[in-house]
Amino acid sequence: MRWLKGLILAIILLVVLLVGILFAVNNQQALPLNLVWIELPAASLSVWLLASLTVGVLLGMLAMSGVYLRLRTLLTRAQRHNQQQRKELDRLRVQELKELP
């Protein structure tokens, strides 16, 4: 089953790669990117779109890092609490066994 998942993932990755190559080949016209405050030099459309995708992914990761760190802290705290509860439960079980005649 694991190899099937890997095969499907490889096929999907290959299709995405081929579509990306076709996109880059078909969009070779150079154009400058005019932002409101600055005009960037001319580059192909595929370069600008890939750059915007990269910037968007990085900004998304940055935005989610706060949520990730908060959830990671809560998980660590819950695991520590769970471990303390298990120790107490084990201690009470041993104590109960000692009290039996």
Side-chain angles (χ1 to χ4, degrees), residues 70-86:
R70 183 176 55 86
L71 289 175
R72 190 76 180 151
T73 303
L74 287 174
L75 177 63
T76 304
R77 190 177 303 149
Q79 286 174 338
R80 192 176 319 121
H81 182 71
N82 187 14
Q83 186 177 16
Q84 289 173 353
Q85 294 295 323
R86 285 183 187 271

Side-chain angles (χ1 to χ4, degrees), residues 17-100:
L17 183 65
L18 288 174
V19 169
I21 290 171
L22 284 173
F23 179 77
V25 167
N26 288 329
N27 290 297
Q28 290 295 324
Q29 55 275 47
L31 51 102
L33 186 61
N34 186 5
L35 301 174
V36 174
W37 58 90
I38 191 171
E39 184 168 333
L40 300 175
S44 70
L45 180 62
S46 59
V47 169
W48 288 126
L49 289 175
L50 289 174
S52 66
L53 174 67
T54 304
V55 169
V57 167
L58 291 175
L59 286 175
M61 289 172 60
L62 181 65
M64 290 304 296
S65 65
V67 173
Y68 174 77
L69 290 174
R70 183 176 55 86
L71 289 175
R72 190 76 180 151
T73 303
L74 287 174
L75 177 63
T76 304
R77 190 177 303 149
Q79 286 174 338
R80 192 176 319 121
H81 182 71
N82 187 14
Q83 186 177 16
Q84 289 173 353
Q85 294 295 323
R86 285 183 187 271
K87 284 182 183 178
E88 183 177 353
L89 182 61
D90 289 341
R91 186 181 53 81
L92 290 174
R93 283 182 181 157
V94 169
Q95 182 182 358
E96 180 180 304
L97 288 175
K98 287 181 181 178
E99 291 177 358
L100 290 176

